[in-house]
Amino acid sequence: MTSSFRITLLPGDGIGPEITAVTRQLLDAVSRQHGFELLYDEQPMGGAAIDATGEPLPASTLEACRASDAVLLAAIGSPQYDCLPREQRPETGLLGLRAGLGLFANLRPVKIIPALIEASTLKREVIEGVDLLVVRELTGGVYFGTPKGRVESEGRVRAFNTMAYFDDEIDRIAKVGFDLAQQRSGRLCSVDKANVLDVSQLWRDRVEALHASSYPGVELSHMYVDNAAMQLVRNPRQFDVLLTSNLFGDILSDEAAMLSGSIGMLPSASLGASGPGLFEPIHGSAPDIAGQDKANPMAMVLSAAMLLRIGLQQEAAAAALEAAVDRVLAAGFRTGDLMAEGCTQLGCRAMGDQLLAALEGVPATA
Ligand code: IPM
Ligand code: MG
């Protein structure tokens, strides 16, 4: 019997629908090749959902996600929604989706693709061989802490958020970090601001306790977040797994993305204790190039590969998608964000066609 899996597809906003179309075409081909079936359920999310229903995350979308085997999201957000009250903004929908599915662990791998070394703003000798993983806590910290708000009194306005973690929230994300470090090179660097913040001191205490009790074989180090930001561009090869809180991971993962040349290349996986995972590129919806067939679909294709590997345990299909991306880049095809001298520039759809040809083993032609 052919196994079949239910995928909730969330094309979202901006370039989202364009990169989703390309990715879906590739998923169809790779699932056919590897003998399983994907059933898609496309749902509105973000600005697209605000336009259709008035809310960024309709209950029906969250329900569909819960009922599926994995969720694939393109990107959400657009400046036209920035003036809406916070609870109606696209980003609030994304936070609601993460919380609603219990996705506390966000994995953001940054691996240098040799063909793209010249596309980075950093020197070859700094980035060559970089292969790191940001493990970001995703459903706590200052993104979700209370109290929060904005108050006016005596002629002044004050706005505030709360950066807070419970011990067990730190333990469960640290466990994910240690487990992944064990599967990789055995090194974990925990990022905090324990020299200033109480919440970071608790973070450090819990990570140390877990290390002593359960992971003595992992080489653990601690780094203040400001230093980590500097070390990422000074000597990124020193890192294997970086364990971070929600806000620090948000910032450091964008920085780490630039090591790879373009934020248009990086996938991510968000996982909970059980239930479907959410797979999405780490880039945004790029409203400036939306609808112009200029977007780089590769981060979403690589997110689909993570979905196949982690979400559906289809390792061979995942590896085939990744190999197709490598082949197309090695053949000199580039989207605008990666363009370099001597390469062939393609739009989003044409890049999709090349990826499909590479997947199906057709020799590349310019
Ligand atoms: C990310 C994004 C989101 C975040 C936004 C869109 C809410 O920047 O996934 O990194 O801050 O988590
Ligand atoms: Mg971010």
Side-chain angles (χ1 to χ4, degrees):
M1 200 185 79
T2 317
S3 18
S4 71
F5 302 101
R6 289 157 306 163
I7 308 292
T8 305
L9 266 186
L10 307 172
D13 307 321
I15 58 170
E18 299 163 59
I19 61 175
T20 301
V22 165
T23 306
R24 184 169 169 165
Q25 211 184 358
L26 287 160
L27 277 173
D28 282 339
V30 84
S31 57
R32 241 187 344 263
Q33 285 174 349
H34 292 267
F36 59 92
E37 186 185 25
L38 298 176
L39 307 169
Y40 306 99
D41 180 5
E42 202 169 301
Q43 294 284 334
M45 160 87 193
I50 296 172
D51 294 345
T53 70
E55 310 172 80
L57 177 64
S60 49
T61 295
L62 182 57
E63 265 326 297
C65 291
R66 283 201 176 115
S68 61
D69 294 304
V71 183
L72 185 60
L73 167 68
I76 51 114
S78 176
Q80 76 201 81
Y81 306 107
D82 287 353
C83 55
L84 290 174
R86 182 159 309 282
E87 63 282 4
Q88 286 166 31
R89 291 197 203 167
E91 290 77 6
T92 305
L94 181 56
L95 298 191
L97 184 62
R98 291 170 178 171
L101 296 176
L103 307 172
F104 69 87
N106 182 219
L107 316 186
R108 298 188 162 183
V110 179
K111 196 169 178 177
I112 304 304
I113 299 177
L116 292 183
I117 282 198
E118 303 304 333
S120 176
T121 50
L122 293 163
K123 294 194 186 106
R124 168 184 284 272
E125 56 268 31
V126 174
I127 58 168
E128 211 156 33
V130 165
D131 180 2
L132 61 85
L133 174 68
V134 178
V135 176
R136 170 189 176 195
E137 200 289 327
L138 203 60
T139 52
V142 72
Y143 274 54
F144 291 92
T146 51
K148 63 175 183 171
R150 184 171 161 136
V151 288
E152 274 186 57
S153 83
E154 294 168 17
R156 294 169 86 198
V157 187
R158 181 168 178 267
F160 52 97
N161 290 87
T162 301
M163 189 186 269
Y165 273 110
F166 284 104
D167 49 5
D168 52 340
E169 287 178 308
I170 300 169
D171 293 352
R172 66 179 180 177
I173 190 68
K175 186 171 183 315
V176 173
F178 279 117
D179 285 339
L180 287 163
Q182 268 179 342
Q183 290 164 29
R184 295 169 52 101
S185 79
R187 285 180 298 129
L188 180 78
C189 177
S190 172
V191 175
D192 62 41
K193 189 71 187 173
N195 50 347
V196 177
L197 302 176
D198 292 331
V199 60
S200 278
Q201 188 61 56
L202 178 63
W203 180 279
R204 190 175 283 218
D205 294 347
R206 298 304 296 192
V207 171
E208 274 183 352
L210 191 63
H211 180 235
S213 68
S214 311
Y215 297 94
V218 173
E219 192 185 314
L220 171 66
S221 58
H222 301 278
M223 202 178 272
Y224 298 137
V225 62
D226 48 349
N227 187 27
M230 180 178 79
Q231 296 297 335
L232 267 176
V233 286
R234 196 184 76 88
N235 174 20
R237 268 192 304 271
Q238 72 186 282
F239 296 115
D240 182 24
V241 179
L242 277 162
L243 173 68
T244 76
S245 61
N246 204 342
L247 179 64
F248 296 166
D250 179 47
I251 298 167
L252 293 182
S253 61
D254 267 32
E255 191 191 2
M258 277 318 289
L259 302 174
S260 77
S262 168
I263 199 165
M265 291 306 298
L266 289 198
S268 80
S270 303
L271 309 172
S274 61
L278 168 68
F279 301 83
E280 56 173 314
I282 87 156
H283 62 68
S285 56
D288 52 321
I289 57 163
Q292 298 170 38
D293 194 34
K294 286 183 180 163
N296 177 356
M298 287 183 276
M300 187 167 182
V301 171
L302 294 172
S303 301
M306 286 188 96
L307 179 154
L308 293 172
R309 173 175 295 120
I310 301 173
L312 308 181
Q313 280 79 50
Q314 296 294 329
E315 171 60 38
L321 274 190
E322 289 165 350
V325 169
D326 283 345
R327 279 186 60 191
V328 165
L329 289 171
F333 295 108
R334 300 285 187 274
T335 40
D337 55 320
L338 303 171
M339 192 50 195
E341 229 183 282
C343 293
T344 310
Q345 187 164 339
L346 299 178
C348 183
R349 275 198 302 270
M351 181 52 91
D353 293 342
Q354 287 298 336
L355 290 167
L356 198 59
L359 188 66
E360 287 171 346
V362 181
T365 46

